[in-house]
Amino acid sequence: MNNVVSQNIIRFVLLILLQSIVLNAINFLGYINPYIYVLFIILFPIKNNRLLFIFLSFLLGLTIDLFIDSGGIHAAACVTIAYIRPVVLKFVFGMVYEHQTIKFSATEFGQRLTYFSVLIFVHHLILFSLEIFNSSKIILIFKKSLFSSIFTIILCLLITILFSRKKR
Amino acid sequence: MQQILNFLIRHKTFLVFLLLLSLSLFLTIQSHSYQKSKFINSANIITGGVYGITNNISVYIDLKSENEILLEENTRLKSVLYNTNQENLTDLYRHATDANQRYKITPAKVIKNSYSSTNNYLLINKGQRDSIAQDFGVISSKGIIGIIDNTSNKYARIMSVLNTNIRVNAKLKKTDHFGSLRWNTESPEFVQLIDIPIQAPVKIGDTIVTGGRSTIFPKNIPIGKVDSFKIDDTENSYEVNIKLFNDMTNIGHVYVIKNLDANEISTLNNLDE
């Protein structure tokens, strides 16, 4: 149990530092930035206290907001995906989720890809809608969220593959 | 009562979610309005400290180009200095050390820069203890950067010209037709000048400078040059697209300008109302 807690604390701090120092300075093609820190929410243990989980996600988003001066947009996006995560898990993993026995490193690649993509795209859509906050620029919102999502999904998958322990 | 409590307990996750979501939306909306974003900003010890440390490391990469920029500015200032008459020179020195000077300039280093979102902010390593406060102007050797909007003890946050909330008074250099500077979020190289009266002789390539009508910036600080212009929807003013002199994606050293008469001018203006 302690192992899981400390692992998540370290992941929380590392992802925030990585995001704010390295990744926010990428600006690929002028506006595409990956938001890797959602990996914390994606990989949070399934068996959890939902209240604590939602609160932690809020804290994560708020810290990122502090770093990049964006008001509360990251916090809003994080809270939302933390809230809808069980629904997405049920939709993607079906029966396995009902029994609460998922190990992300042991899931099929296709399932993992769908799970990551849904959460990351929802997160980015909320993020950019709130950031731009202008219905006349809806094309720009979709464009930004699509391209940034693709970037984030690829990086997230790479990171999970790199850092997964092969115990099978 | 029992039923209300039961309801609350049953839906506690949803209620917490709603509470946190509305809190973050509140913070977001606050950050969209100028001078209200007090709570969440990067001018605090933790984030400022982290950016300060990383900047200490990354600053070595830019040393060469920074030096070139400083050298360029030095050359320009020297040429101004040596091309003035000797009698005026003493005058110039006297002005610089005048007890009645109007502006106080503080150098600062940018430790965090952003230009890809819709509301961009920069962070500098000078704060309240260097007597920097809200509404001071910030310029670089090439032109304007932004306005200080939040300070902590050691750090200050600048609202960049690349921010949808910014309003700067600006004018044509050759005439005194003035307008208001905005940003339409499309490119970090261009800003827009609106409300220039149609009588103004705008030409492509004209220089745009600050107007000096507000207490934030002195007069005639360069901003950029006219890239294109068109008549706006009301048909009695121009909308001018300006290419900035500054490369906003690469900013190292900046100067913070304090208008020593700002208090006096604003009290006078308030008397009027």
Side-chain angles (χ1 to χ4, degrees), chain A residues 17 20-21 24-27 30-33 49-51 54-55 58 62-63 65-77 79-81 83 130-133 137 140 144, chain B residues 12-14 16-18 20-21 23-25 27-29 31-32 39-44 46-48 50-51 54 112-119 121-123 157 184-186:
Chain A
L17 287 180
S20 49
I21 296 170
N24 283 327
I26 289 185
N27 292 316
Y31 60 90
I32 302 173
N33 267 343
N49 178 348
R50 271 194 83 192
L51 279 180
I54 288 180
F55 185 72
F58 176 74
L62 201 67
T63 323
D65 278 326
L66 263 180
F67 268 102
I68 56 182
D69 291 303
S70 46
I73 59 175
H74 287 277
V79 168
T80 318
I81 62 164
Y83 185 72
L130 285 177
E131 187 193 331
I132 296 168
F133 215 65
K137 288 188 179 150
L140 182 71
K144 268 191 158 182
Chain B
K12 62 178 191 288
T13 336
F14 183 65
V16 169
F17 164 66
L18 271 192
L20 293 176
L21 187 69
L23 185 62
S24 44
L25 287 180
L27 289 171
T28 309
I29 291 162
S31 78
H32 278 271
F39 307 121
I40 302 297
N41 67 72
S42 60
N44 60 52
I46 301 166
T47 53
V50 170
Y51 281 128
T54 50
K112 176 228 160 190
N113 184 10
S114 84
Y115 48 87
S116 60
S117 68
T118 51
N119 291 312
Y121 297 94
L122 295 93
L123 201 66
R157 187 173 77 160
N184 67 2
T185 74
E186 267 160 29

Side-chain angles (χ1 to χ4, degrees), chain B residues 111-226:
Chain B
I111 57 174
K112 176 228 160 190
N113 184 10
S114 84
Y115 48 87
S116 60
S117 68
T118 51
N119 291 312
N120 294 296
Y121 297 94
L122 295 93
L123 201 66
I124 54 171
N125 64 348
K126 293 278 165 76
Q128 279 155 11
R129 64 173 185 187
D130 309 284
S131 66
I132 283 173
Q134 205 177 42
D135 284 337
F136 288 6
V138 182
I139 61 170
S140 78
S141 57
K142 288 181 184 162
I144 69 164
I145 302 282
I147 300 169
I148 302 270
D149 86 328
N150 247 312
T151 53
S152 71
N153 195 23
K154 280 155 88 177
Y155 303 99
R157 187 173 77 160
I158 306 169
M159 181 188 275
S160 149
V161 280
L162 307 181
N163 189 311
T164 48
N165 294 325
I166 200 153
R167 305 282 178 269
V168 176
N169 177 271
K171 70 178 187 74
L172 291 174
K173 194 179 182 184
K174 55 181 180 185
T175 63
D176 267 343
H177 294 96
F178 67 93
S180 171
L181 204 69
R182 311 265 170 113
W183 187 51
N184 67 2
T185 74
E186 267 160 29
S187 158
E189 281 176 52
F190 296 97
V191 291
Q192 283 67 40
L193 183 64
I194 57 167
D195 294 338
I196 284 272
I198 205 153
Q199 291 83 359
V202 185
K203 282 204 189 67
I204 288 174
D206 279 359
T207 306
I208 305 289
V209 296
T210 52
R213 273 164 200 273
S214 71
T215 54
I216 298 173
F217 289 106
K219 213 172 173 177
N220 289 330
I221 288 183
I223 295 172
K225 60 177 187 233
V226 177

